[in-house]
Amino acid sequence: QVQLVESGGGLVQAGGSLRLSCTASGRTFSSNAMGWFRQAPGKEREFVAAINGNNENTFYTKSLKGRFTVSRDNAKNTVYLQMNSLKPEDTAVYYCAAGKSSSYLGDYNYWGQGTQVTVSS
């Protein structure tokens, strides 16, 4: 069983930055790929970024690559999402998830509770 807790969300002006963190319980953190997803009001949850267990491969939804960066520190059981040049359309609840390295929600077995990111114009 893996429990995930996100933090770092908040209110930021357009053009600003935030770094989200997701800390996992359990000793199998490094064996799991970690993904970030987001869900805006009235919209489906969508893939943002993912990183595999050994930190060698990352991938992003095309529209966000260049502004968002995913990383992880296996010694701290933590995955990060650095978000730069934020736009109002980035406003959403951001979730981290553990599972298979994929952009598909169904490949992730464990989910955090989400952290709200609000970008004002």
Side-chain angles (χ1 to χ4, degrees):
Q1 190 77 3
V2 176
Q3 292 184 324
L4 305 173
V5 179
E6 300 101 333
S7 61
L11 174 64
V12 63
Q13 288 188 333
S17 299
L18 281 176
R19 187 176 82 155
L20 306 183
S21 300
C22 172
T23 300
S25 65
R27 292 178 288 182
T28 60
F29 177 74
S30 62
S31 66
N32 284 284
M34 298 298 296
W36 285 97
F37 293 78
R38 67 184 185 183
Q39 188 166 17
K43 295 187 177 181
E44 294 185 351
R45 194 170 298 189
E46 64 175 1
F47 172 73
V48 173
I51 184 168
N52 71 346
N54 60 11
N55 249 332
E56 290 180 353
N57 292 304
T58 60
F59 59 103
Y60 302 85
T61 194
K62 188 175 180 181
S63 62
L64 298 177
K65 191 173 184 179
R67 293 196 298 122
F68 288 18
T69 304
V70 61
S71 62
R72 67 191 294 164
D73 185 339
N74 287 340
K76 296 182 178 180
N77 276 15
T78 300
V79 62
Y80 305 97
L81 184 68
Q82 177 68 43
M83 306 185 294
N84 299 327
S85 302
L86 283 162
K87 304 174 181 180
E89 51 264 42
D90 294 319
T91 295
V93 177
Y94 284 72
Y95 299 89
C96 71
K100 177 182 174 182
S101 186
S102 168
S103 61
Y104 175 53
L105 279 72
D107 284 333
Y108 292 86
N109 301 313
Y110 304 100
W111 291 82
Q113 82 290 350
T115 186
Q116 176 70 47
V117 171
T118 303
V119 184
S120 63
S121 57

